[in-house]
Amino acid sequence: MPWARSAAAIRLASLYLMASSDESCIFSLALRNFRPILSWELTNRSIVPTHYTLRHTLMSKGADLELVPGCVNITRPSCDLTHAWYSLVETYLPWVIGSRGGATLVNCVGKVSPVLEMILEPPEFEIVGFVDHINVILKFPPSLPKLPPGEGLWLRLSLSIEEESEGIVRQHLLKIDERTTGNFTYVIDKLIPNTNYCVSVYLKSENLSKLLRSPWKCTRLPPRPESVSSESASIGVLTILFLMAAVLGGAVAVLKRIGYICLRSKFPKVLNFDGVAIWAFPKLQPLEAVAVAEVIHIHRKRKVWDYSYGDESDGDEEAAPRGSGGGYTMHGLAVRALCPESPSSATLGGSEEAESLMAPGPEPWPAERTSGAYEGKGTWGAQRTSGAYEGKGTWGAQRTSGAYEGKGTWGAQRTSGAYEEEGTWPADPFPREDSGPSKSPGDRIFFNVDLNSVLVRVPDGDGSEAPAMLCLPEEPVDSDDPEDSAAGSEDAPFDENDTSRSDVGIGDGYMMR
Amino acid sequence: MIHKHFRESVLVLLTSSTILSLELKLLHLQQRRVNRESSKLLKKWQPSSIRQCLPHRKDFLLPQEARYPHQDEKGYALTILHEMLQQIFSLFQANTSLEGWKESHMEKFLIELHQQLEYLETLMGLQTDQKSNTVGREKLRLQIKMYFRRIRDYLENQEYSGCAWTIVQVEVNRCLFFVFPLTGKLSKQEMDP
């Protein structure tokens, strides 16, 4: 009875399978590329069906088991349930029947809750490292399953990208929705060049789904190229050069401002003598060889001011006619040669007495002379009234009524024809009118006169008029000196006539009025 | 008179808004804990095979309003949450001595439920009394009450069998995960003054 024995064996096997079917299969649900994939594994590995058929139903409803489209009589132990399972909160009941040659070897039922048990598999990705950033290329499915709105196991998911370097992990979260399809590139920036970085991705759900982290993919970022560093260096050099130029320009401007450099050579217009008539400044006349004029030195006691305010002593010191400390001395006497029979010498009366000490003055004076008087312009403004000469300028000798008073270098002047320049008188800058103008400017003589030691006498034929003499009342006069007495007598008429004699003073050797 | 209490009123509103925003965030986190404990409880308890319970499955007709509230008002969400958790708490509290459930797991589940109910009651107390839509919220409460009435009747009819409790545990999980998005929305919204 072999047929009866086979039937009994098959029945026992069916009972065995039915009794143990609920525990013979281990179901697992994974979300792969946004598609729920149910796979199963038999606990008894000795039983290997060749074909599988999958049915399913819901726990919350009393509906019958339904076949899953595309999972009927399949050879693989897995099934895509995208269009069958699309609610996260439901509890699904899968039923798998495994067979071989028409014989059912496996019949197992399970209970799967996607929200609690679904494994979120990470998407495939690649990383490309650059100097300071990494491109993470995520590979999503080209399109999402078309389901009613609000349905789908991939809803309310987020993608987490983690980068790790030297123990520091940084997380980047991306929200996933129906627009997240195709290849997607995410850039992780602000990274350090020449550093190792590892990247891992995984899906997260706000529910209690199990997450699965992808394997770490590492790369070492290349170092920063020299062009970048050189570029920054060139920028730094340019900046430094610009600053230096600015500082230098500012320093030059300051120096120019204070006049340390680039001094102005532009003088005021009044000091511009270009084009001024040369005649205003006649040439100096060459010196002529002349004989030394007779000089009558008047030796008198003279108070020498030694600038010591302690003891005033009327020493017997005589002011040297030249080179004395306090007096005014002659310098560079240059006079005309004296003619023995010249009328000038006669007029001088023997000319044993010095007429004057003349020295070249500091500057030439104009040759213009009228009526024996001198009126000049320029450096000194000689002016005379009533026969007196009043001059301004560098000297202040002044004389009236035949006396000489003038300013400037000298102002020798005579009136009433007391002075004849030809021959006897070295160089009278103020000859009489009848004598005419001097032949040449060379007749002018500059000299400095020490009035303390010079007696000027104007030779005059008429003895009625006392010769004008310089009067120096302040000076102590030695009575024993005959010359002094003569000078004193000569000074007397002067004293009487000149009311302004008191005004006469000797400051630095000049007589002033 | 109005100005006299104006400052106090403003301070109360500001304080309540701050507390409410914190409470809403805590509500979402706490709901996650409740759902986790409920799931652990379900895993620990397998009274019978699934195959044997297939004929005992029942659709308890969860109200659509609870799944998809047609209004996004905070009052509706809080009402749904509060009523549902309150019903679940009372359902399991009455049957803690069920065979197969470890006492520690059940106690932990009830503790998390209780904490969540306190958060909800605090939030509902801070919320200004909205006289509008009161009927709608009451209607929604009634629907939820009816829903759990059906569950209790099922258990009674099934004589509180293992399959019945398995089916009820699965249904409770379903409810908790249905309302979980509501807490997420609440935590993202600000309290209306």
Side-chain angles (χ1 to χ4, degrees):
Chain A
M1 310 284 281
W3 178 81
R5 291 179 183 174
S6 299
I10 293 171
R11 193 176 297 169
L12 287 171
S14 301
L15 288 173
Y16 171 78
L17 288 171
M18 291 179 66
S20 61
S21 60
D22 293 345
E23 299 176 355
S24 59
C25 297
I26 299 173
F27 291 93
S28 61
L29 181 64
L31 188 67
R32 189 177 301 153
N33 293 328
F34 303 114
R35 305 181 81 88
I37 306 296
L38 180 67
S39 57
W40 52 88
E41 184 181 351
L42 300 178
T43 55
N44 188 359
R45 294 180 183 276
S46 60
I47 302 172
V48 183
T50 58
H51 294 84
Y52 301 93
T53 299
L54 180 63
R55 292 180 174 86
H56 75 105
T57 186
L58 287 171
M59 192 69 177
S60 60
K61 293 180 179 179
D64 294 332
L65 290 167
E66 296 179 354
L67 283 171
V68 177
C71 296
V72 177
N73 208 18
I74 57 176
T75 59
R76 61 183 185 280
S78 62
C79 183
D80 188 346
L81 299 174
T82 302
H83 296 280
W85 295 4
Y86 42 80
S87 178
L88 282 170
V89 299
E90 294 286 353
T91 300
Y92 294 93
L93 301 176
W95 190 337
V96 173
I97 298 173
S99 62
R100 177 189 290 180
T104 302
L105 300 177
V106 176
N107 189 354
C108 54
V109 179
K111 177 173 65 71
V112 179
S113 176
V115 68
L116 298 175
E117 302 174 38
M118 186 169 63
I119 300 172
L120 303 176
E121 291 186 356
E124 294 181 5
F125 72 101
E126 295 292 335
I127 61 173
V128 180
F130 296 91
V131 176
D132 57 353
H133 66 279
I134 294 176
N135 285 355
V136 182
I137 304 169
L138 300 163
K139 298 177 182 179
F140 292 113
S143 61
L144 288 174
K146 293 183 179 180
L147 293 173
E151 301 292 344
L153 296 182
W154 59 85
L155 294 179
R156 294 187 290 273
L157 294 177
S158 59
L159 180 69
S160 175
I161 302 174
E162 289 186 354
E163 50 145 310
E164 184 270 337
S165 175
E166 299 177 354
I168 300 174
V169 180
R170 214 165 48 149
Q171 188 182 56
H172 308 266
L173 284 177
L174 301 177
K175 202 68 176 175
I176 293 179
D177 52 18
E178 51 275 6
R179 295 171 297 179
T180 310
T181 57
N183 288 350
F184 177 78
T185 301
Y186 181 80
V187 180
I188 302 175
D189 55 359
K190 298 179 183 179
L191 302 180
I192 303 172
N194 199 21
T195 308
N196 286 330
Y197 282 91
C198 296
V199 179
S200 174
V201 300
Y202 59 91
L203 288 171
K204 287 179 65 177
S205 173
E206 62 182 3
N207 297 315
L208 307 177
S209 299
K210 298 178 181 179
L211 59 91
L212 183 64
R213 184 189 294 274
S214 68
W216 290 94
K217 292 189 178 181
C218 300
T219 181
R220 185 175 182 85
L221 301 184
R224 192 175 296 277
E226 293 183 356
S227 61
V228 177
S229 62
S230 64
E231 183 178 351
S232 62
S234 64
I235 291 173
V237 169
L238 287 174
T239 304
I240 292 172
L241 288 176
F242 175 76
L243 292 175
M244 289 176 63
V247 171
L248 191 63
V252 169
V254 170
L255 291 176
K256 188 176 181 181
R257 183 74 176 174
I258 64 177
Y260 192 74
I261 59 173
C262 301
L263 291 175
R264 287 186 178 182
S265 60
K266 188 176 181 180
F267 292 98
K269 292 182 180 179
V270 294
L271 297 182
N272 189 4
F273 297 109
D274 293 340
V276 178
I278 299 177
W279 61 266
F281 301 96
K283 297 180 181 178
L284 290 173
Q285 298 301 316
L287 297 176
E288 298 179 359
V290 294
V292 177
E294 290 184 0
V295 177
I296 301 174
H297 293 278
I298 301 174
H299 299 281
R300 58 177 77 166
K301 286 187 179 178
R302 184 172 68 86
K303 185 178 181 179
V304 178
W305 183 255
D306 58 353
Y307 296 99
S308 60
Y309 299 89
D311 183 15
E312 296 182 1
S313 59
D314 297 336
D316 293 338
E317 299 176 3
E318 295 180 354
R322 302 183 182 181
S324 63
Y328 192 74
T329 60
M330 181 182 69
H331 172 70
L333 180 64
V335 296
R336 287 183 179 274
L338 296 175
C339 298
E341 295 180 355
S342 61
S344 61
S345 62
T347 55
L348 287 175
S351 68
E352 293 181 354
E353 299 178 350
E355 308 304 356
S356 67
L357 288 175
M358 295 175 286
E363 53 191 351
W365 48 279
E368 185 178 0
R369 294 169 293 188
T370 56
S371 302
Y374 175 76
E375 292 180 356
K377 298 178 182 178
T379 57
W380 59 284
Q383 182 176 356
R384 187 182 72 172
T385 58
S386 304
Y389 168 76
E390 294 181 356
K392 300 177 183 178
T394 59
W395 59 277
Q398 181 175 352
R399 185 177 70 177
T400 58
S401 304
Y404 176 76
E405 293 178 352
K407 296 181 181 178
T409 56
W410 68 282
Q413 179 178 346
R414 292 176 299 153
T415 58
S416 307
Y419 174 74
E420 293 182 2
E421 63 173 326
E422 297 181 0
T424 58
W425 204 246
D428 186 4
F430 312 106
R432 292 183 300 175
E433 188 176 25
D434 54 353
S435 63
S438 60
K439 295 181 179 179
S440 65
D443 294 336
R444 299 186 300 277
I445 298 176
F446 299 93
F447 61 91
N448 295 324
V449 179
D450 186 4
L451 300 179
N452 297 330
S453 61
V454 172
L455 182 64
V456 178
R457 183 175 71 182
V458 177
D460 191 3
D462 187 1
S464 60
E465 185 178 358
M469 302 295 285
L470 286 176
C471 177
L472 305 172
E474 294 82 359
E475 295 179 354
V477 179
D478 188 358
S479 59
D480 294 338
D481 191 348
E483 295 180 355
D484 292 338
S485 61
S489 62
E490 291 176 352
D491 290 337
F494 182 78
D495 292 336
E496 294 176 356
N497 295 329
D498 187 7
T499 57
S500 62
R501 183 183 165 208
S502 60
D503 297 334
V504 174
I506 299 177
D508 52 353
Y510 296 108
M511 295 196 63
M512 302 171 59
R513 178 179 288 276
Chain B
M1 185 66 177
I2 296 174
H3 293 287
K4 202 173 184 179
H5 300 284
F6 179 74
R7 290 183 182 178
E8 288 79 4
S9 304
V10 171
L11 285 174
V12 168
L13 287 173
L14 291 174
T15 307
S16 62
S17 301
T18 305
I19 296 173
L20 188 60
S21 63
L22 294 174
E23 293 286 346
L24 289 172
K25 292 181 179 178
L26 290 174
L27 190 71
H28 185 64
L29 297 175
Q30 186 62 28
Q31 188 63 43
R32 183 175 290 186
R33 293 195 193 99
V34 170
N35 292 2
R36 187 185 300 120
E37 293 301 326
S38 175
S39 300
K40 290 180 180 178
L41 197 63
L42 183 61
K43 284 183 179 179
K44 298 293 181 182
W45 183 69
Q46 295 288 342
S48 54
S49 65
I50 301 301
R51 190 187 294 272
Q52 295 176 358
C53 300
L54 288 178
H56 302 279
R57 291 174 294 142
K58 184 179 177 59
D59 189 357
F60 300 101
L61 301 176
L62 180 65
Q64 295 296 321
E65 289 284 340
R67 292 184 59 183
Y68 309 105
H70 67 282
Q71 296 185 15
D72 286 335
E73 292 182 6
K74 294 185 182 66
Y76 270 81
L78 291 175
T79 301
I80 293 170
L81 282 168
H82 183 263
E83 187 62 36
M84 208 167 264
L85 294 181
Q86 202 169 36
Q87 292 291 334
I88 293 171
F89 184 83
S90 63
L91 179 64
F92 284 97
Q93 188 183 22
N95 299 278
T96 55
S97 60
L98 281 174
E99 185 177 346
W101 286 9
K102 289 186 177 181
E103 190 173 341
S104 59
H105 293 296
M106 182 59 71
E107 185 178 359
K108 209 170 184 181
F109 175 64
L110 292 175
I111 289 172
E112 299 294 344
L113 268 177
H114 177 72
Q115 183 66 52
Q116 184 72 332
L117 284 169
E118 285 190 344
Y119 285 147
L120 286 169
E121 288 168 359
T122 303
L123 289 169
M124 294 173 73
L126 290 174
Q127 190 181 7
T128 56
D129 188 13
Q130 297 180 357
K131 293 185 178 179
S132 61
N133 296 326
T134 304
V135 176
R137 281 182 284 170
E138 288 301 320
K139 183 181 178 182
L140 190 58
R141 278 185 182 275
L142 191 61
Q143 290 177 354
I144 294 172
K145 289 179 184 296
M146 292 298 294
Y147 168 72
F148 278 91
R149 182 72 266 172
R150 288 190 286 272
I151 291 175
R152 288 191 177 85
D153 292 340
Y154 168 81
L155 283 172
E156 187 175 354
N157 293 334
Q158 296 291 321
E159 299 178 354
Y160 302 95
S161 64
C163 284
W165 276 113
T166 301
I167 292 170
V168 168
Q169 184 65 38
V170 170
E171 188 68 19
V172 166
N173 268 335
R174 185 166 169 257
C175 292
L176 293 174
F177 283 106
F178 265 129
V179 301
F180 182 74
L182 294 178
T183 58
K185 289 181 181 179
L186 285 173
S187 64
K188 294 176 183 178
Q189 293 178 4
E190 292 180 0
M191 193 63 179
D192 294 332

